[in-house]
Amino acid sequence: KPFMAGAGSFDIEVIGVGGHGAMPHASKDAIIASASLIQQIHTIVSRNISPNEMGVISIGTINSGYKSNVIADKASISGTMRWYKDDI
């Protein structure tokens, strides 16, 4: 077995179109898009790597918005990845 795991980090910026909370149909909500993306990221390991292999992707931060009645136009996501085999 390998002695140490490989590690990497990532930063993602999701760009949408902000708007007023009373008019969500006129915006592209970066928070909704980020939530969907995070769910998909969490399936990468479970759907692409054998349970007999070791790998993990973790989302550590998500930041977005600045006021409760404003639909966010940007969101940032960051996380890490760890693995034992380079081909994972």
Side-chain angles (χ1 to χ4, degrees):
K1 287 193 168 195
F3 183 68
M4 296 180 69
S9 61
F10 59 88
D11 297 296
I12 301 169
E13 186 171 20
V14 176
I15 306 295
V17 176
H20 193 277
M23 298 179 62
H25 62 284
S27 68
K28 306 280 191 249
D29 192 333
I31 293 175
I32 298 292
S34 296
S36 179
L37 177 60
I38 289 168
Q39 288 181 314
Q40 294 303 310
I41 288 170
H42 282 291
T43 67
I44 292 171
V45 172
S46 66
R47 297 298 181 253
N48 295 287
I49 298 174
S50 166
N52 298 323
E53 301 295 337
M54 294 181 213
V56 67
I57 299 175
S58 298
I59 302 296
T61 69
I62 178 169
N63 296 290
S64 187
Y66 57 90
K67 196 152 173 85
S68 63
N69 67 336
V70 176
I71 294 171
D73 63 342
K74 290 187 228 175
S76 61
I77 302 166
S78 66
T80 60
M81 306 165 287
R82 296 190 65 81
W83 63 91
Y84 276 121
K85 292 183 179 178
D86 286 335
D87 61 345
I88 295 288

